Amino acid sequence: MSKPKNNAEKVATAKRDSLMELLKMEGSKIYNDLEKGQFPQFYVPSRSVSNIVYDKKLRQYILGKSAGLRSSRNMAQLRSFTQLIWLAFFANRLIQEKKSSTLRDIYYSSQAFAIDFEDQPESDNIIVDLEAVLARPREDLHIFPEERSSVFGDLTIEYTVPGYEGRRTNLSDHPDGYLIGPSLSTAELVDTSAELVIAIEKGGLFTRFVEEKVDKKFKAIIIDTAGQAPRSTRNLLKRLNTQMKLPVVILTDGDVYGEHIAMVIKSGSANAAHLRELTVPDAKWVGVWASDIEKYKLPTIPMTESDIKRIYDLQKDPRYQEGIWKKELEIFLKIKRKAELEAFSKYGLTNITDKYLPEKLELAKSM
Amino acid sequence: MSKPKNNAEKVATAKRDSLMELLKMEGSKIYNDLEKGQFPQFYVPSRSVSNIVYDKKLRQYILGKSAGLRSSRNMAQLRSFTQLIWLAFFANRLIQEKKSSTLRDIYYSSQAFAIDFEDQPESDNIIVDLEAVLARPREDLHIFPEERSSVFGDLTIEYTVPGYEGRRTNLSDHPDGYLIGPSLSTAELVDTSAELVIAIEKGGLFTRFVEEKVDKKFKAIIIDTAGQAPRSTRNLLKRLNTQMKLPVVILTDGDVYGEHIAMVIKSGSANAAHLRELTVPDAKWVGVWASDIEKYKLPTIPMTESDIKRIYDLQKDPRYQEGIWKKELEIFLKIKRKAELEAFSKYGLTNITDKYLPEKLELAKSM
């Protein structure tokens, strides 16, 4: 391995080394068992519903103490035992060779090793098991999501991917925005003049925000979540919040799905209760609220049956029991109508950036 | 208007001026009618199925000679007449103010002017009418798609959007790729050392191609079409082909939808028969062919009923009556199985770039 040349590379190397140490530690347990003449085994934290609890202090779902034994002695567990060991081996190779992959790649790659996965959902599930065993997101194992969203603003990053080590880019250089792929996800955040991050649900509005210089007027980094924010985007939001100390505000369509997009950025999902890298507990959902629909007299669309069912579902979620989260759900249910971010165009294309956004950012200060 | 400073700005200004001239010409016809005391009217080329024909010379669908009269005298046409006039007025303003918008924006913006659209499909339809009247794509009217795909490689562009005029970027600087949004779509293509464009259907593979330096090894610009290529991406492919004289090859999943993604890049769709900016007639589909599935012993997935129905549909399309287009459809129908691009990972993550791609590029030379 070549000598680290700069800070970004040092951080990346340290991260990689600690992960490989972790993999080695898990591996040596297997060897130890074998040397002692025992069937190797390990524990996988249980991800069943009964073991997922909402932690008020961490403000996210976490796993409880229950864990399942996976033993090579047990015929019924031998299959998933072998799958997980192979995955750890393969991830180790990806990390060493600095190659990225996707969930789908992993499924097909397994066939080269005669590892038997029934279908991709089975291999996806083992990948989440390994995340839970290591308490590390799969992106650290070089397994990246296919979905990409994008970012724009005065943020200088330094790449750590092969061929680009030490190179820097400022994310305001391309006004259509920068894709949040493996290179950006593994880059170091070097410097910014921004004082705020604005996450917005839609690409069209993201472009409007760039065009209207929201980045300069409000000293903001703008992130297009492209609907439900992909994991890599949630992780970038977390890093901007913790490493660069930037507050995060979220703008979504005025409907129950929009409200939940904001909630997932804030407190994650039950599916990722075994991870800590994907939540921004202090993120603020600033709109479009149900109450904004009347306040701003927005054009609306009637809710569908499935919108309404979704509201009833979320009302059972512990995170929707107080504050605006509870209140806005109730108003949605009462008015049974929803409004899109583009609805502000009724008042002119720049109404959303000239009027609505400044009002909401002012409000956010007291939230 | 400030004096053009350089070539990119000159080209952009000339394009804008010619479009505004066109709008002015259409507008003066209305005024002339009014001055003559006549009810204003105009003709919209018919986009009904009976007026769409495949042109073997242009190698794309085109509209026939049939056109519908839209007259303000006719009560039944007054509504769509007014909608179209308003849209032309609004587009004129977007162009003058250099603001971008989306189909959805247009729908909501109309409400500020008390223009009555029943729903967004009605306004979308009028936008296509205006495209047909002007024979210009809506992107020239600053109405851009929400969907974005991306591009990577040694291509220097020069922006023409406000605030970035004259600034250049090389599209190999961000290894996750550059979004093809309004700024890239309106930028001038300045310079490239590439000798080829490779369009690929999937983001995961796009990343693999960047990682494996396909851009350098094959002197290629790589484009992620992200499934069915958005119009802005098809337009960029056309410009790379005609302005930069680069051949275009296309790689898709090995299924009937993949084959059609390639066909739409090559010869457009019946929906856009009124436009000439969205086709690359010399583009070559190089894989994954149905015949590759056996040749490369790829892991496969059984076809669904809807896959098979789609094959029968395409077999009626005039474009699928010869060559590989016809032959591969027949093989798909015979084997009733499909394979994804990721299937090559069975032979190692870099098999697709080390083996399959060079073989296919060699083959493309004689296609």
Side-chain angles (χ1 to χ4, degrees):
Chain A
M1 216 177 294
S2 63
K3 216 176 149 203
K5 286 170 212 130
N6 54 49
N7 193 49
E9 239 181 295
K10 266 186 214 160
V11 174
T13 306
K15 194 174 172 188
R16 190 173 62 239
D17 289 351
S18 101
L19 184 59
M20 292 186 65
E21 198 53 46
L22 192 59
L23 283 168
K24 206 168 156 182
M25 210 181 69
E26 293 292 333
S28 38
K29 284 189 209 158
I30 308 273
Y31 279 103
N32 287 342
D33 281 342
L34 288 171
E35 274 174 15
K36 282 190 258 168
Q38 295 170 354
F39 282 98
Q41 61 178 41
F42 51 84
Y43 286 91
V44 181
S46 162
R47 293 183 288 110
S48 77
V49 178
S50 61
N51 197 43
I52 296 178
V53 289
Y54 186 70
D55 184 305
K56 281 209 164 186
K57 212 168 145 195
L58 281 174
R59 290 179 290 171
Q60 74 160 83
Y61 282 105
I62 59 165
L63 295 186
K65 293 200 185 307
S66 162
L69 180 66
R70 211 159 290 179
S71 167
S72 55
R73 176 180 219 141
N74 184 328
M75 281 294 282
Q77 291 167 7
L78 191 53
R79 178 185 171 86
S80 63
F81 176 91
T82 314
Q83 288 169 336
L84 203 142
I85 298 291
W86 171 79
L87 181 66
F89 153 79
F90 194 76
N92 186 59
R93 215 169 79 169
L94 285 174
I95 298 163
Q96 275 187 321
E97 296 180 3
K98 298 187 181 179
K99 297 218 179 290
S100 72
S101 66
T102 61
L103 293 174
R104 198 167 300 234
D105 272 331
I106 298 294
Y107 167 60
Y108 283 111
S109 297
S110 66
Q111 304 191 12
F113 299 84
I115 294 295
D116 188 28
F117 286 112
E118 192 69 44
D119 48 21
Q120 202 194 318
E122 188 179 15
S123 91
D124 290 356
N125 193 46
I126 292 287
I127 292 168
V128 183
D129 276 352
L130 185 60
E131 285 188 322
V133 168
L134 303 174
R136 294 289 184 97
R138 57 182 174 258
E139 289 80 0
D140 286 1
L141 308 171
H142 291 220
I143 305 168
F144 292 92
E146 279 258 5
E147 324 81 64
R148 305 281 154 82
S149 57
S150 50
V151 53
F152 176 86
D154 176 24
L155 173 67
T156 301
I157 60 164
E158 184 173 322
Y159 298 105
T160 64
V161 288
Y164 285 80
E165 299 99 335
R167 280 175 67 168
R168 293 184 174 192
T169 288
N170 184 286
L171 302 186
S172 65
D173 284 349
H174 180 51
D176 289 330
Y178 283 79
L179 281 167
I180 306 171
S183 312
L184 183 41
S185 300
T186 56
E188 279 302 299
L189 311 180
V190 177
D191 193 28
T192 182
S193 67
E195 297 173 359
L196 173 74
V197 180
I198 302 173
I200 187 152
E201 185 189 336
K202 279 184 166 161
L205 270 300
F206 172 81
T207 301
R208 164 94 10 91
F209 276 34
V210 173
E211 241 173 51
E212 298 305 323
K213 302 188 175 35
V214 162
D215 60 309
K216 293 197 180 65
K217 287 181 196 159
F218 303 98
K219 291 188 185 258
I221 292 168
I222 313 164
I223 290 192
D224 170 20
T225 70
Q228 189 70 261
R231 286 166 55 122
S232 43
T233 305
R234 285 155 58 197
N235 182 248
L236 178 63
L237 285 164
K238 171 149 204 123
R239 292 169 69 205
L240 287 167
N241 181 243
T242 54
Q243 292 173 23
M244 308 307 271
K245 315 280 179 219
L246 301 180
V248 172
V249 302
I250 308 162
L251 273 172
T252 66
D253 279 341
D255 61 26
V256 58
Y257 296 100
E259 182 168 347
H260 197 59
I261 283 171
M263 180 58 93
V264 170
I265 290 172
K266 189 178 171 70
S267 71
S269 62
N271 286 337
H274 55 293
L275 298 173
R276 300 290 169 271
E277 289 82 358
L278 304 175
T279 63
V280 188
D282 288 320
K284 289 171 185 165
W285 179 46
V286 296
V288 175
W289 295 343
S291 51
D292 289 340
I293 291 176
E294 201 185 345
K295 186 171 173 196
Y296 294 92
K297 307 224 175 307
L298 297 178
T300 58
I301 307 163
M303 283 190 183
T304 63
E305 279 306 308
S306 92
D307 291 335
I308 292 165
K309 187 182 167 299
R310 185 74 184 139
I311 295 177
Y312 287 123
D313 286 347
L314 290 187
Q315 284 185 327
K316 292 172 206 147
D317 185 318
R319 298 171 293 177
Y320 285 90
Q321 302 310 316
E322 55 185 26
I324 55 160
W325 304 100
K326 176 180 159 80
K327 189 184 133 210
E328 296 300 328
L329 272 193
E330 281 165 1
I331 301 176
F332 277 126
L333 197 54
K334 202 179 101 193
I335 63 178
K336 291 197 172 54
R337 300 193 73 85
K338 54 190 180 180
E340 299 183 283
L341 280 161
E342 290 91 342
F344 288 96
S345 296
K346 177 185 169 181
Y347 301 111
L349 288 176
T350 62
N351 180 271
I352 190 165
T353 50
D354 293 347
K355 295 262 190 166
Y356 184 67
L357 182 64
E359 279 183 41
K360 286 293 185 165
L361 291 183
E362 195 52 43
L363 194 66
K365 290 178 189 162
S366 61
M367 274 172 73
Chain B
M1 215 176 294
S2 64
K3 215 178 149 202
K5 285 172 214 130
N6 53 50
N7 193 49
E9 238 181 296
K10 265 186 214 161
V11 173
T13 305
K15 194 174 172 187
R16 190 173 62 240
D17 289 350
S18 101
L19 185 60
M20 293 185 65
E21 197 53 45
L22 192 59
L23 284 168
K24 207 168 157 184
M25 209 179 70
E26 294 292 333
S28 37
K29 285 188 208 160
I30 309 272
Y31 279 104
N32 287 343
D33 281 342
L34 289 171
E35 274 175 15
K36 283 189 259 170
Q38 294 169 353
F39 282 99
Q41 61 177 42
F42 50 83
Y43 286 90
V44 181
S46 162
R47 294 184 287 109
S48 77
V49 179
S50 61
N51 197 43
I52 296 177
V53 288
Y54 185 71
D55 184 305
K56 281 211 163 184
K57 212 167 144 195
L58 282 174
R59 290 179 289 169
Q60 73 161 85
Y61 282 106
I62 60 166
L63 295 185
K65 294 199 184 309
S66 162
L69 179 66
R70 212 160 290 180
S71 168
S72 57
R73 175 179 220 147
N74 183 330
M75 281 295 282
Q77 291 166 8
L78 191 54
R79 177 185 172 85
S80 62
F81 176 91
T82 314
Q83 288 169 335
L84 203 143
I85 299 290
W86 171 78
L87 181 66
F89 152 80
F90 194 76
N92 186 59
R93 215 170 77 169
L94 285 174
I95 298 164
Q96 276 187 319
E97 295 180 6
K98 298 187 181 180
K99 296 217 180 289
S100 72
S101 66
T102 61
L103 294 173
R104 199 168 300 233
D105 272 331
I106 299 294
Y107 168 61
Y108 284 110
S109 297
S110 66
Q111 304 191 10
F113 299 84
I115 295 295
D116 186 28
F117 286 111
E118 193 68 45
D119 48 23
Q120 201 194 319
E122 188 180 14
S123 91
D124 290 356
N125 194 45
I126 293 288
I127 292 168
V128 183
D129 276 352
L130 185 60
E131 284 188 322
V133 169
L134 302 173
R136 294 289 185 97
R138 58 183 175 258
E139 288 80 0
D140 286 0
L141 308 170
H142 291 218
I143 305 168
F144 292 93
E146 280 257 5
E147 323 83 61
R148 303 283 153 84
S149 57
S150 51
V151 53
F152 177 87
D154 176 24
L155 174 67
T156 300
I157 61 164
E158 185 173 320
Y159 298 106
T160 64
V161 289
Y164 285 79
E165 299 98 337
R167 278 176 68 169
R168 294 185 174 192
T169 288
N170 184 285
L171 302 186
S172 64
D173 284 349
H174 180 50
D176 289 330
Y178 283 78
L179 279 167
I180 305 170
S183 311
L184 183 40
S185 300
T186 57
E188 279 303 299
L189 311 181
V190 177
D191 193 28
T192 182
S193 67
E195 298 174 358
L196 172 75
V197 180
I198 301 173
I200 188 154
E201 186 188 338
K202 279 183 166 161
L205 271 299
F206 172 82
T207 300
R208 164 92 12 90
F209 276 35
V210 173
E211 241 174 50
E212 298 304 324
K213 303 188 176 35
V214 163
D215 59 309
K216 292 197 180 67
K217 286 180 197 160
F218 303 97
K219 294 189 183 258
I221 292 168
I222 312 165
I223 291 192
D224 171 19
T225 70
Q228 189 69 261
R231 286 166 56 121
S232 44
T233 304
R234 285 156 57 196
N235 182 247
L236 178 62
L237 285 165
K238 172 151 203 121
R239 292 168 70 206
L240 287 168
N241 182 242
T242 54
Q243 293 173 22
M244 307 308 269
K245 314 283 179 217
L246 301 180
V248 173
V249 302
I250 309 161
L251 272 172
T252 66
D253 279 342
D255 60 26
V256 58
Y257 296 99
E259 183 167 346
H260 198 58
I261 284 171
M263 180 58 92
V264 170
I265 290 172
K266 189 178 171 71
S267 71
S269 63
N271 287 338
H274 56 293
L275 298 173
R276 300 288 169 272
E277 289 82 359
L278 304 175
T279 62
V280 189
D282 288 319
K284 289 171 187 166
W285 179 45
V286 296
V288 177
W289 295 343
S291 51
D292 289 340
I293 291 176
E294 200 186 345
K295 186 172 173 194
Y296 295 92
K297 308 226 174 306
L298 298 177
T300 59
I301 307 162
M303 284 190 184
T304 63
E305 279 306 308
S306 92
D307 290 336
I308 292 165
K309 187 182 166 302
R310 185 74 183 138
I311 295 178
Y312 287 124
D313 286 348
L314 291 187
Q315 284 186 327
K316 292 173 205 146
D317 185 318
R319 299 171 293 176
Y320 286 90
Q321 302 310 316
E322 54 184 28
I324 55 160
W325 304 100
K326 176 182 159 79
K327 188 184 133 208
E328 296 301 326
L329 273 193
E330 283 166 0
I331 301 176
F332 277 127
L333 197 55
K334 203 179 103 193
I335 63 179
K336 291 198 171 55
R337 300 193 74 85
K338 55 190 179 180
E340 298 183 283
L341 280 161
E342 290 91 342
F344 287 95
S345 296
K346 175 184 169 183
Y347 301 111
L349 288 176
T350 61
N351 180 271
I352 192 166
T353 50
D354 293 346
K355 295 262 192 165
Y356 184 67
L357 182 65
E359 280 183 39
K360 285 293 186 168
L361 292 182
E362 194 52 41
L363 194 65
K365 290 180 189 163
S366 61
M367 275 171 74

